[in-house]
Amino acid sequence: MCIRDSTKVVQKYIERTFLLKLPGPSGQLELRKFDLRQWVLVTSFSPLVIYMFNSCYFKICGSEFTLEDVKDRYRHISNFSIQKNNERVGNTRNELVMSVPQFTAHLKEHYRVELDWEKEMMPKLGEIIKNTIYAGWDVIEHRSNCFELFGFDFVLDYKLNPWLIEVNRSPACSERTDWLVEMLGTFLNDHLESMADGLLDIIQPRLNRCAKTSVRSSEYHWVKIYDMREELRGQLSIESQCFDLKGNNLLEVVGTKLNLRIDKKIDKEFRIVHAIETLSRNVR
């Protein structure tokens, strides 16, 4: 029987995820699971140029976390499309979302942990984002004058280390709170023209479908985390050191020229000897 090869993704559930301490319906604190949505913009695939937004938001489950009931989606899946039907929560649009300042304040109040998001967490997220996109870069169709907006979803383990859950193309941009309206306003407008390399006329109509707001804030901005052109310029700088001012190659080529006919003959003799040795070991 011939089994056709197929690509599979192997995932592991993170049992020891970091949990928020939030009040339940009775007012008592309970542990809730969450994940975070990070916006990423690729303005060019050839050469590869990647930006990440300097802030994100946290999506929170509406029911208390437990591993004893892994089938309860309200305990384990934070997607708003699921949690909006959770009857345990009064206002799902506001209670099940959290900003970065709210999250860092929560850490300080309930866990006595000081976290500088920009200095400590963003570099970790940026490295994962860069490696993830670069891993699939060679199989992505490269089209000129095109861009792609991604929503990277991360979960934090009990040591506050980020782990990538999934990558969403054209992520939802819902204005569920006032601070999200402010974030989206900057997300759509501020610095977009300069970082998009002249593609504003192409990008703006698509982004306008995400949020109809002109609100901007100096608190939020896009950060370039990878530019293949900078690497190429570095390589050209190294290569330029191999030539003198007249363009003469300063490198010396040593060794003997490869004789393909002799090389094939040696390879053939090696395979014959290897086959004889294999037969002598297995055939009695």
Side-chain angles (χ1 to χ4, degrees), residues 235-251:
Q235 294 176 5
L236 291 174
S237 176
I238 295 175
E239 291 177 1
S240 64
Q241 300 175 18
C242 302
F243 300 88
D244 59 19
L245 295 177
K246 296 182 180 180
N248 298 318
N249 195 341
L250 300 178
L251 298 179

Side-chain angles (χ1 to χ4, degrees), residues 93-158:
R93 295 183 63 87
N94 290 297
E95 295 181 30
L96 299 184
V97 66
M98 183 179 288
S99 66
V100 170
Q102 291 171 340
F103 177 73
T104 54
H106 185 91
L107 290 180
K108 186 175 182 180
E109 178 182 356
H110 294 281
Y111 292 95
R112 297 182 180 179
V113 173
E114 297 276 357
L115 177 64
D116 189 324
W117 187 266
E118 186 172 352
K119 293 182 179 180
E120 298 179 48
M121 188 60 68
M122 279 192 62
K124 296 179 181 179
L125 298 176
E127 189 67 16
I128 296 175
I129 291 168
K130 181 182 69 175
N131 292 336
T132 300
I133 296 178
Y134 193 79
W137 172 77
D138 58 338
V139 296
I140 297 175
E141 183 179 359
H142 301 170
R143 296 181 178 179
S144 60
N145 299 330
C146 291
F147 78 102
E148 187 59 66
L149 179 66
F150 297 100
F152 276 65
D153 287 342
F154 293 90
V155 64
L156 303 181
D157 63 20
Y158 71 103

